[in-house]
Structure formats: structure tokens, C-alpha cells
């Protein structure tokens, strides 16, 4: 009666997800979070990323030394915004900015995390020990200006990206960066071949904006720091300090622990800080570090666009960067290459090849829009965007789900019993009561089978 | 698309019949071992009916 096979259902493609700062912090253990809040810069960073309402709650509670009943806090916001209130309170609880407490009378209440409170006060009002990194007193004889730093940061970062696209220029990428890429599954080592190759996630990673790339990469790197013998809290605190440093200023490495020095060297390799020499005693943060994981400032460091897409599907890229050409080559067929201009054409085959390697149509369209020349009236002709989406849709004309078919029930009651049971379990894929046929998913098959055998035994006895 | 699959089934193009049951207008219950072959056939079909939009000189 049961037969195995496949039936048809909607697909889900896997996309690369970049976690926000809060999502990352929520995944940390409570003790790590408490240690993080020991530093004013972390508190300030967390505070800045909160929603307006949550910020308001924190400020109102900052000087209250006793628990405040939850009902009182709820009354600060009009009832019509219960959803926002819930979001804000949930976030604050998950981030351990406040903890649950009880007030006399049995009401549940919230009290700000004492560590957070102390350090947030320092961050917002000043006082206490100086918490930003100390600037070196005497002038750097070989001071670097902003242009140089920006150039340097971009070069370092492109170096990593170029390595991912597999260009020849692989020099200058550090072993740690390669290890992180492998760990993040942006690249993988195929058996038998020496050099790693890019994965589906890697392709998607390449099309992200630079700050998002840096943040994703650093998150993955942070997951590995403890295996390198570094302290996660120390590293994170340092990263937050970097975030609040000033571009173009040099900072002293004095007073940094041995471990932090190692961490600094890693950041130097990724281009987040600049050091002339390893033992220079000073370093400059770059804009990669400053823009990391901030919501508002993402747009500021965007490079000017360089692409023109015509309605005849040609893509003109005004660039001399090998990386950008390689990126465009991911989904176009390159036709001509000049010193400062590359012409490619979007074809069905080239786009399908990109789709097969795991890039989505939305990502291609997003990339083309993002990097379009700012002077263009329409960054991307609608006909091109639509066609790319159609090409993607074409691949999903036929979708399958694995399942088991039950048919030829003796009675309608038997059929309905089985169908309802499958529905309750959430394994029902398809059913038709006229034909008395159900299709259940493969996972559900064993449960359904047990249920059916049991059911039949029961009906034989009666 | 379903008609194309029915056609493949009737003409034994894949070497044998593979449709186990015709469920409704948009669903077919098919044998899982021909899936890969079937997908390449569908790809071929789409290749045939697509028209190259780019002019080549």
C-alpha cells in the first residue's frame, strides 16, 4: 500500500546570514557578557545599538538604585506600542543589561546589571580611569595621513578577497587569514589539491558590502581565538575600543598584554590596524575597524560606483582592479579587457553558472545596483533585473520533496484518521479525499507506519 | 511542465515508466531513482526553448 517516491513542493535556498552585534552578543555565555561589560567602551557600543525605546529605558533606570516593577516600566510607553515594548524588554534581558528581580509585594521587577550600570555611567558621563586607548605623546616622525591609511586598509582587505577568487596574486595573505576562511567555510580544501577553493558561502560573501564582510570575517575569527590561546573578552574589548578611536591618530601599544599584542598582529594582517613595524610601539586604526558592525555608518565608506549596465545586457566596468573584474566575471561573460575598462555581457549561461555556484539572483541584482555609477538615472535597467530573476525562476520550475504515498484505504474513516494524524505531526505533504490518497514526508513515514499498524490491530480486536 | 513529464513517461524516453501516480494538476508522484536524469532532461528542454538575447558579432 505504501510506495516510496517524490512529490512536489516549494524550495528554500540557503543564503549567507550575517549576524548583528546584538545577535552575536546574545550567543555568548552570561559570564562572558558580564566580563565584557566591565569595560565602558563595550557598554557604550551596546547602548548605541539599542533601539530608541530601549535606550530610553536604560537612561531612566541608570540612576535608580533599586529594582523597578515591570508594570511601572510598561506604563512608560503607550499601550498601542506593546510590540515595541516587548522587543525592547526582550533585548535588554537577553543582553543581560538588566536582570530580573523582585520587589516587596511579590511583583516582578527589573534592575540594571550593576556592572553595566557602573561602566555605562563612566562611558556616558566621564569620570573614572581614562578608558579610551592612550594616544602616544610625542609626534610620530613618519606620521601617516588618512589617504594612506584608507589605501592601506583597502589593499589588505582586497588581498584576502583576491585570494578567495583565486587570482594569481596570493602573496601577502597570512596563514591566520587562510585558516579563518577555511573555518568560516568560505573556502574549502578539496582532497588531493593543495590550495583551497571557494565555496557557495564564499561566493555570497564576496558580493557583500565591505563592512559586512569585515564583520562576518571577524566574528568567525573570534570563534577561533580561544583555540589560539587568546582571551575572547580581552579581544572583544579591544575591538570595541578600536571602534571608538579616531581615524588618523596613532595609539600606543604600551600596557597591552602579550596576548593582545598577538591579536593586534592578526588585526594588522587583516588590515584593521596599521603598524609600520612590528615593534613600532604605536598603531593606527583604519576605517575597516571603525566601521565594523555599526548600523548607521555603513554607507559612509562606500566606494563610488563603477558599473554601467545597458538594456542589451552589457556590463561596462570602469576599473583597473583585478578583484572587481574577477567579481564581475562570476556572473558575466567577459568580452573585452582594456587598462581601465572591462566589458562583459550577462548571458543565460553565465548567470546560470553563477546560480549553480550558490549565488542568488537577488545578490547579483543587489551587487549591480550597489556599484552602479552614481550619475546614472536608473542604476539597473528593469529589463535586466527581471531577466536575471526569470533565469533564477527557471531553475525552480520543478521542485521535489521526498515522501511516501498511502492509498487504497478500505474506508473513508480509515483514510481520515491517518490523514488527521499526519496533519497533527506536521508531516502531511499532499492529500486528496476523493482518491483516498495521502503523501507524507520521509521523516514521518516510520511514525505513520507504527500508527497504522497499531490502528489496524485495534480495529481487528473490536 | 507536467505535460512534459507525462510525455517523457508515455514515450519511455528514460528507458522506463517512472510516474507512480498522477496526483492532481500540479503534482505527480514519481519514482525517486530517476530524479537526477529527469532534472537534466528538464534542463535540456529549457535550453531548447530559451532564445539567446545577446547579439554576437
Amino acid at each position: 500500500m505504501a510506495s516510496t517516491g517524490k512529490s512536489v513542493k516549494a524550495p528554500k535556498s540557503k543564503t549567507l546570514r550575517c549576524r548583528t552585534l546584538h545577535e552575536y552578543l546574545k550567543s555568548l555565555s552570561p559570564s562572558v557578557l558580564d566580563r565584557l561589560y566591565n569595560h565602558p567602551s563595550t557598554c557604550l557600543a551596546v547602548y548605541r545599538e539599542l533601539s530608541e525605546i530601549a535606550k530610553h529605558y536604560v537612561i531612566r533606570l541608570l540612576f535608580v538604585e533599586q529594582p523597578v516593577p515591570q508594570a511601572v516600566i510598561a506604563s512608560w510607553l503607550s499601550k498601542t506600542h506593546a510590540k515595541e515594548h516587548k522587543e525592547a524588554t526582550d533585548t535588554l534581558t537577553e543582553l543581560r543589561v538588566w536582570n530580573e528581580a523582585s520587589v516587596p509585594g511579590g511583583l516582578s521587577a527589573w534592575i540594571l546589571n550593576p556592572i553595566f550600570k557602573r561602566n555605562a555611567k563612566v562611558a556616558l558621563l566621564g569620570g573614572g580611569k581614562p578608558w579610551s586607548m592612550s594616544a602616544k605623546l610625542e609626534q610620530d616622525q613618519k606620521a601617516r595621513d588618512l589617504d594612506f591609511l584608507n589605501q592601506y586598509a583597502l589593499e589588505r582587505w582586497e588581498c584576502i578577497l583576491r585570494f578567495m577568487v583565486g587570482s594569481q596574486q596570493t602573496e601577502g595573505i597570512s596563514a591566520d587569514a587562510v585558516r579563518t576562511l577555511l573555518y568560516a567555510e568560505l573556502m574549502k580544501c578539496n582532497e588531493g589539491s593543495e590550495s583551497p577553493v571557494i565555496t557557495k558561502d564564499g561566493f555570497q560573501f564576496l558580493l557583500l558590502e565591505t563592512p559586512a564582510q569585515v564583520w562576518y570575517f571577524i566574528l568567525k575569527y573570534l570563534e577561533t581565538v580561544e583555540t589560539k590561546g587568546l582571551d575572547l573578552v580581552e579581544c572583544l574589548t579591544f575591538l570595541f575600543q578600536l571602534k571608538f578611536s579616531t581615524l588618523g591618530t596613532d595609539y600606543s601599544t604600551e600596557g597591552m598584554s602579550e596576548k593582545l599584542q598577538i591579536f593586534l598582529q592578526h588585526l594588522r594582517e587583516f588590515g584593521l590596524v596599521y603598524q609600520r613595524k612590528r615593534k613600532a610601539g604605536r598603531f593606527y586604526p583604519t576605517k575597516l575597524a571603525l566601521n565594523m558592525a555599526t548600523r548607521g555608518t555603513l554607507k559612509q565608506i562606500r566606494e563610488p560606483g563603477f558599473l554601467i549596465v545597458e538594456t542589451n545586457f552589457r556590463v561596462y566596468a570602469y576599473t583597473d582592479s583585478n578583484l572587481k573584474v574577477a567579481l564581475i566575471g562570476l556572473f558575466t561573460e567577459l568580452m573585452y579587457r582594456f587598462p581601465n575598462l572591462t566589458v562583459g555581457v550577462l548571458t543565460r549561461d553565465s548567470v546560470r553558472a553563477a546560480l549553480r555556484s550558490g549565488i542568488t539572483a537577488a545578490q547579483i541584482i543587489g551587487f549591480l545596483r550597489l556599484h552602479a555609477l552614481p550619475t546614472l538615472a536608473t542604476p539597473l535597467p528593469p529589463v535586466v533585473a527581471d531577466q536575471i530573476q526569470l533565469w533564477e525562476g527557471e531553475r525552480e520550475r520543478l521542485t521535489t520533496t521526498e515522501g511516501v504515498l498511502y492509498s487504497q484505504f478500505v474506508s473513508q474513516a480509515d483514510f481520515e484518521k491517518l490523514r488527521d494524524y499526519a496533519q497533527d505531526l506536521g508531516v502531511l505533504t499532499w492529500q486528496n479525499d476523493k482518491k483516498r490518497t495521502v503523501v507524507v514526508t520521509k521523516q514521518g513515514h516510520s511514525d505513520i507506519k507504527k500508527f497504522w499498524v497499531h490502528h489496524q490491530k485495534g480495529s481487528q480486536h473490536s | 511542465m507536467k505535460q512534459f513529464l507525462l510525455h517523457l513517461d508515455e514515450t519511455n524516453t528514460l528507458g522506463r515508466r517512472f510516474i507512480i501516480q498522477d496526483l492532481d494538476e500540479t503534482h505527480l508522484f514519481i519514482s525517486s531513482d530517476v530524479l537526477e536524469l529527469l532534472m537534466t532532461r528538464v534542463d535540456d528542454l529549457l535550453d531548447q526553448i530559451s532564445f539567446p538575447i545577446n547579439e554576437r558579432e
Side-chain angles (χ1 to χ4, degrees):
Chain A
M1 187 177 81
S3 43
T4 343
K6 303 212 170 193
S7 83
V8 185
K9 216 187 177 180
K12 273 212 180 73
S13 60
K14 187 177 154 281
T15 49
L16 190 73
R17 247 186 62 66
C18 197
R19 287 187 291 178
T20 63
L21 173 66
H22 280 173
E23 283 168 327
Y24 174 67
L25 290 176
K26 283 174 196 170
S27 69
L28 296 174
S29 71
S31 62
V32 172
L33 266 182
D34 279 350
R35 280 174 60 209
L36 268 177
Y37 289 146
N38 254 323
H39 204 281
S41 61
T42 332
C43 298
L44 189 58
V46 169
Y47 173 76
R48 280 192 179 182
E49 289 287 305
L50 288 172
S51 68
E52 290 295 322
I53 294 167
K55 275 183 192 168
H56 176 79
Y57 290 165
V58 171
I59 288 296
R60 272 181 94 152
L61 291 174
L62 199 55
F63 291 94
V64 180
E65 296 296 333
Q66 61 192 47
V68 178
Q70 296 187 358
V72 172
I73 294 178
S75 72
W76 290 346
L77 201 64
S78 141
K79 283 277 177 295
T80 48
H81 295 284
K83 207 177 122 227
E84 283 89 342
H85 171 73
K86 174 101 176 45
E87 271 169 28
T89 53
D90 284 351
T91 309
L92 291 176
T93 312
E94 283 173 83
L95 289 172
R96 292 179 59 76
V97 170
W98 64 25
N99 297 326
E100 207 130 328
S102 57
V103 282
L107 286 169
S108 51
W110 278 307
I111 182 161
L112 280 189
N113 183 337
I115 305 169
F116 181 86
K117 184 154 72 180
R118 195 172 57 242
N119 290 296
K121 274 184 196 167
V122 173
L124 294 170
L125 306 171
K129 276 186 284 178
W131 53 274
S132 57
M133 290 174 296
S134 55
K136 190 125 178 143
L137 290 175
E138 77 242 44
Q139 272 277 307
D140 189 351
Q141 294 183 347
K142 291 183 181 119
R144 305 293 177 175
D145 61 359
L146 292 183
D147 289 341
F148 174 84
L149 288 176
N150 289 347
Q151 192 61 33
Y152 171 81
L154 271 184
E155 259 169 41
R156 296 299 316 164
W157 193 249
E158 279 202 6
C159 193
I160 294 178
L161 298 184
R162 264 209 305 273
F163 176 74
M164 289 182 68
V165 267
S167 311
Q168 277 76 36
Q169 299 144 296
T170 50
E171 60 196 84
I173 182 157
S174 70
D176 279 300
V178 178
R179 262 198 294 276
T180 309
L181 287 174
L182 289 174
Y183 172 80
E185 290 177 353
L186 296 175
M187 300 185 85
K188 62 170 188 279
C189 276
N190 278 346
E191 279 170 55
S193 72
E194 287 272 304
S195 53
V197 289
I198 191 161
T199 63
K200 280 186 182 188
D201 283 352
F203 276 117
Q204 299 187 7
F205 176 82
L206 285 176
L207 298 187
L208 292 176
E209 284 184 71
T210 315
Q213 285 175 341
V214 176
W215 178 235
Y216 187 87
F217 186 83
I218 290 294
L219 278 189
K220 288 294 177 185
Y221 169 78
L222 286 173
E223 283 171 26
T224 63
V225 284
E226 287 194 319
T227 58
K228 294 186 174 79
L230 302 178
D231 183 20
L232 177 65
V233 174
E234 208 177 4
C235 294
L236 263 175
T237 310
F238 182 68
L239 274 180
F240 285 124
Q241 277 178 303
L242 269 184
K243 240 168 84 81
F244 292 109
S245 55
T246 317
L247 191 60
T249 320
D250 51 336
Y251 294 93
S252 166
T253 56
E254 237 168 85
M256 285 171 71
S257 70
E258 196 84 348
K259 285 175 181 172
L260 217 46
Q261 294 272 7
I262 300 174
F263 183 58
L264 186 69
Q265 287 309 316
H266 288 163
L267 292 183
R268 184 184 169 203
E269 285 157 13
F270 307 150
L272 269 70
V273 295
Y274 168 78
Q275 257 190 318
R276 197 161 48 80
K277 279 187 304 208
R278 209 186 169 91
K279 297 274 176 238
R282 63 177 87 220
F283 64 92
Y284 295 84
T286 70
K287 62 179 182 179
L288 287 184
L290 266 66
N291 279 301
M292 193 176 47
T294 335
R295 275 191 303 194
T297 51
L298 284 184
K299 283 187 188 73
Q300 285 175 8
I301 68 154
R302 195 196 284 171
E303 299 162 63
F306 59 96
L307 283 177
I308 298 180
V309 185
E310 288 186 337
T311 48
N312 61 5
F313 291 84
R314 288 203 184 185
V315 179
Y316 299 87
Y318 290 90
T319 178
D320 52 1
S321 142
N322 280 337
L323 170 70
K324 285 173 184 159
V325 173
L327 278 178
I328 290 160
L330 289 178
F331 49 83
T332 62
E333 219 168 279
L334 294 179
M335 292 168 75
Y336 314 113
R337 180 96 195 252
F338 302 109
N340 63 347
L341 168 69
T342 303
V343 183
V345 59
L346 286 158
T347 64
R348 181 170 175 270
D349 289 335
S350 69
V351 173
R352 274 168 60 95
L355 294 171
R356 259 197 297 275
S357 61
I359 305 177
T360 66
Q363 280 169 328
I364 299 178
I365 295 167
F367 181 84
L368 292 175
R369 282 226 175 93
L370 185 70
H371 295 288
L373 272 181
T375 44
L376 291 180
T378 47
L380 182 65
V383 59
V384 177
D386 289 350
Q387 185 61 61
I388 293 174
Q389 242 140 17
L390 285 176
W391 279 326
E392 187 184 48
E394 199 178 82
R395 299 180 71 238
E396 289 159 3
R397 284 288 292 276
L398 187 69
T399 56
T400 59
T401 43
E402 231 170 325
V404 182
L405 180 110
Y406 291 74
S407 61
Q408 293 162 16
F409 289 91
V410 183
S411 72
Q412 189 74 11
D414 279 355
F415 162 74
E416 274 167 16
K417 203 151 206 163
L418 189 99
R419 181 195 62 191
D420 293 346
Y421 181 70
Q423 197 143 34
D424 290 346
L425 284 181
V427 297
L428 188 68
T429 313
W430 186 88
Q431 61 99 7
N432 184 322
D433 50 358
K434 289 212 181 68
K435 289 188 189 163
R436 288 188 194 165
T437 305
V438 283
V439 178
V440 299
T441 60
K442 194 125 197 184
Q443 295 88 344
H445 177 48
S446 62
D447 278 345
I448 297 288
K449 204 165 147 186
K450 261 182 238 154
F451 170 78
W452 185 244
V453 170
H454 194 73
H455 173 73
Q456 277 193 319
K457 264 187 206 154
S459 53
Q460 272 165 13
H461 286 301
S462 60
Chain B
M1 183 51 67
K2 190 189 157 195
Q3 292 309 317
F4 175 67
L5 296 188
L6 287 177
H7 170 74
L8 285 182
D9 189 51
E10 274 161 24
T11 54
N12 273 334
T13 323
L14 304 185
R16 62 194 182 87
R17 318 276 303 224
F18 59 90
I19 293 177
I20 300 169
Q21 200 169 69
D22 189 346
L23 298 178
D24 61 16
E25 282 115 59
T26 51
H27 293 79
L28 284 172
F29 198 73
I30 61 163
S31 155
S32 56
D33 39 346
V34 296
L35 190 70
E36 210 166 304
L37 192 58
L38 194 64
M39 282 304 194
T40 57
R41 283 295 173 142
V42 172
D43 250 18
D44 288 349
L45 174 79
L46 290 171
D47 275 340
Q48 280 169 26
I49 60 174
S50 74
F51 178 74
I53 38 174
N54 307 102
E55 291 166 41
R56 294 284 164 78
E57 53 268 59

